[in-house]
Structures are given as structure tokens and as C-alpha cells.
Amino acid sequence: MSGFGWSSTTDEVLAGKDLSGRTVFITGANSGLGQETARAMASRGAHVILAGRDQAKLDESVAAIQETVPKAQLDTITIDLTSLENIRAATSRARQRFQKIDLLINNAGVMATPFLHTHDGFEMQFGTNHLGHFAMTAELMPLIERGALKRIVNLSSRGHHFAPVNFDDPHFERRAYDPWESYGHSKTANVLFSVGLEQRFAVMGIHAYAVHPGGIQTNLGRHMTPEMMEALMARVTSKDAGFAWKTIPQGAATSCWAATAEELEGKGGVYCEDCHVAEVDDESSTGGVRSYALNPSFADRLWKLSEELTGAKFPS
Ligand SMILES: NC(=O)c1ccc[n+]([C@@H]2O[C@H](COP(=O)([O-])OP(=O)(O)OC[C@H]3O[C@@H](n4cnc5c(N)ncnc54)[C@H](OP(=O)(O)O)[C@@H]3O)[C@@H](O)[C@H]2O)c1
């Protein structure tokens, strides 16, 4: 066991860690868990690249971090995960500007959006949460290969319990759209992506970890109406009577743990929650990872589908 748990914070998890000389690339770093992960890692000496789709919001995030970590080494890069063209341009700039990435934290995400599509016609949640990160990661691999730590953290969610990946109709073209089924399938994809990365790149010393951060009040709920929020809370508390919100530093702790814990070295392709590796459990509504999210054949199928849809090619 890690010695950390549900209530551990980013600063507790990273206490005593020296991240100087390490470069961390975090998507969605202008808000919520991404900003806190950036702050905590910068406070341990890391050079943090904050990625987000809006330069003004990134500048505000940099200013907020510098208030508490005046010596923070921060860079920003704009990237919009809803556009393959934008992803290719942004990652090309990243390869010119930066020498390496030690830790890649694929943190950006949207939840329970209306039925919308990305610039490339993908359903918005699957397109942003999974396909955008898939394409971006492929383009950043040359930098990750040059890093020393070589870890990739993919933010998933307990919401992956809502649904497996629907390979037959990933964009809801032939069935009614359900915002929660869509979120669930995109978050299952985040776990399967970690499994797929591990299958292919463990041999090169690159390891990938999926993370459920907990329930934290951030901007993620922006697409929910008050009725949707009420229904979600009723669903959550009926399944988990002891449900409690985490603070943002508690929520970002598992990302920091998965990115740095020595006990995880060489052991990727797992799903972490509350600063430990979760057990496979197909019944629990209060924790654990569904077996469909760790299934190697589903991971392979998702990999092929994602390559076909995005045209992205990982180095072989
Ligand atoms: N909060 C929770 O309870 C919870 C629970 C389980 C899992 N998670 C996961 O944790 C991660 C972080 O969420 P959070 O709670 O910190 O939410 P948040 O505060 O809303 O942060 C999400 C970030 O993703 C960015 N983003 C959204 N769409 C993007 C796009 N097309 N291109 C680039 N960036 C984009 C947002 O940028 P803008 O500000 O520009 O929109 C924002 O910076 C998500 O993957 C989420 O699914 C959160």
C-alpha cells in the first residue's frame, strides 16, 4: 500500500520529491485539477508546460500559480483537443520549443455535454476526452522518448462504470444520445488507452496509468442543468451513501501519485483511485475498475479505431 489514501493531498504525495530538471506537460492546466497538478509539481521544482485552448486563461493560471510558487518554471501552449489540425500544429510547435517531456498528464476533459461534434465530426466527449488526447500523445512521443521518467497519466473517472466503449456506434449516429453514456464510454476509453500504451511502449520504458480523481467541485459540471445535477447526486448517493466531495488538492493527489510513485515503476496499464491501484470489480458502485476497461482485446480494438479516425500514428 502507498500510505496515501482518499484524503491525501498533492503536497503530501509529492513531499520530499525532487522534480527539478523534469518537464511535465499537462492538458487542461488552466483550471481545476490540471492547475493544481501544475502548481504542486512546479513547487517541487518541475518545469511545467500548461496546455489549454485559451491563452488568456492560461496566463491567469500562470499568475495564480506564481502567487504561491514565485519561482515556478512555467510555459504555456495553446491546443484545442477538438481539432486534429490544431493538435498537429500545437504539437509541432511543442517539438520545436521543448527538448523532452518526462511526465505527460492527459487531464483535460468535458462532461455531460449536449449532443455536439468536434471540428472533425467526432461526438464531443469521445472526441475531446479520448481521440484528441490519442492524437496529441502520438505527436508528443518523440519528446516523451527523450524524457527520463517516461510516464503518461490519463485522467479517467468512476464515470467509466456508466458504459463500456461502444465500438459499433462511437459517435451516437444510430442511437439516441445520452450524455452520461457518452461520458462513461469516453472515460472507459481513457483506461483502455492506458492499457494500449502499456502494451506497446512498456518495452521502451514508457508506462501509462489511468486515474479516477474522486468527486471534486470544479468547472467540469458546467454543462449540467440544475435538474441534471440533482439527478446525478441522487444516483451517486443512492449507490454510495458515504459519498463526499474531495478538495481540489485531494482530487489532484492521485494524478501526482500515479506520475511519481516509486512503487508503480514498470507497472503501468492500471487504474488508480485514492492513491492506490484499484481492484477489478464488476459490481461495486463505490470503487474499483470494470474488467471491460482493462480488457486487452478491447484496448487493441480501440487503438485501431483511434488510428483510423484520427490518422495518428505512434512510432513503432
Ligand atoms: N471533478 C471531478 O469530480 C472529476 C471526477 C472524475 C474525473 N474527472 C476528470 O478530471 C479531469 C479534469 O477535470 P476538472 O474537474 O479539473 O474539470 P475542469 O475544471 O472543467 O477542467 C477541465 C479542463 O479541460 C480543458 N478542456 C476542455 N475541453 C478542451 C479542449 N477541447 N481542448 C483543450 N482543453 C480542453 C478545460 O479548458 P477550458 O477552461 O478552456 O474549458 C479545462 O482546463 C477531466 O478529465 C475529468 O473528466 C473529474
Side-chain angles (χ1 to χ4, degrees):
M1 290 297 284
S2 67
F4 299 112
W6 186 94
S7 59
S8 300
T9 64
T10 44
D11 287 337
E12 288 164 4
V13 164
L14 294 180
K17 303 257 181 214
D18 180 7
L19 293 178
S20 52
R22 305 307 189 197
T23 299
V24 187
F25 188 108
I26 307 177
T27 63
N30 61 278
S31 174
L33 305 179
Q35 179 176 304
E36 170 58 13
T37 305
R39 181 206 63 76
M41 293 204 172
S43 78
R44 305 307 313 168
H47 164 221
V48 181
I49 302 164
L50 293 88
R53 56 182 156 177
D54 181 325
Q55 187 61 48
K57 286 189 195 173
L58 287 168
D59 292 343
E60 279 175 35
S61 187
V62 165
I65 293 170
Q66 282 171 337
E67 264 180 39
T68 53
V69 189
K71 289 191 180 153
Q73 287 180 67
L74 307 173
D75 270 301
T76 62
I77 189 152
T78 52
I79 184 163
D80 182 351
L81 293 165
T82 64
S83 160
L84 292 172
E85 190 185 347
N86 187 290
I87 290 168
R88 283 191 285 265
T91 49
S92 164
R93 279 184 279 120
R95 289 193 303 269
Q96 284 161 25
R97 287 175 60 194
F98 308 116
Q99 297 302 310
K100 59 161 185 162
I101 294 174
D102 290 284
L103 301 171
L104 171 64
I105 316 285
N106 287 330
N107 162 88
V110 287
M111 180 177 79
T113 61
F115 190 35
L116 299 170
H117 293 88
T118 68
H119 293 275
D120 302 288
F122 308 143
E123 184 281 317
M124 183 60 79
Q125 298 192 71
F126 188 60
T128 306
N129 298 350
H130 171 61
L131 292 172
H133 279 122
F134 181 90
M136 186 197 80
T137 303
E139 299 283 348
L140 292 179
M141 282 307 268
L143 293 179
I144 298 167
E145 284 172 22
R146 290 208 287 275
L149 301 179
K150 296 186 166 58
R151 288 198 193 184
I152 300 171
V153 174
N154 294 311
L155 269 280
S156 175
S157 169
R158 185 166 301 154
H160 86 275
H161 289 191
F162 295 160
V165 168
N166 188 315
F167 291 105
D168 297 327
D169 188 17
H171 306 297
F172 290 83
E173 288 163 327
R174 293 187 296 282
R175 66 202 152 112
Y177 178 69
D178 178 308
W180 292 114
E181 189 184 337
S182 165
Y183 185 64
H185 122 119
S186 76
K187 290 287 141 180
T188 295
N190 295 146
V191 190
L192 289 172
F193 181 36
S194 310
V195 173
L197 283 165
E198 191 71 19
Q199 284 169 337
R200 286 161 183 78
F201 297 105
V203 65
M204 292 166 65
I206 298 172
H207 297 282
Y209 306 84
V211 161
H212 166 59
I216 310 100
Q217 288 172 301
T218 62
N219 292 328
L220 195 65
R222 76 184 85 171
H223 296 290
M224 284 196 280
T225 60
E227 293 74 30
M228 283 171 81
M229 184 52 137
E230 209 175 300
L232 177 68
M233 289 316 294
R235 180 173 178 175
V236 167
T237 50
S238 73
K239 289 170 186 283
D240 182 359
F243 174 80
W245 295 106
K246 287 186 181 186
T247 64
I248 290 180
Q250 289 170 336
T254 304
S255 299
C256 292
W257 182 75
T260 61
E262 281 168 23
E263 67 209 77
L264 288 178
E265 191 46 45
K267 297 179 187 160
V270 293
Y271 169 96
C272 307
E273 60 186 349
D274 299 336
C275 302
H276 67 268
V277 175
E279 299 285 323
V280 177
D281 192 327
D282 283 338
E283 302 300 329
S284 172
S285 50
T286 56
V289 57
R290 294 294 192 246
S291 54
Y292 57 65
L294 292 179
N295 181 310
S297 344
F298 292 167
D300 226 22
R301 202 168 164 194
L302 178 68
W303 194 278
K304 290 193 182 87
L305 177 70
S306 308
E307 280 183 337
E308 276 164 28
L309 289 171
T310 64
K313 282 276 170 253
F314 278 75
S316 48

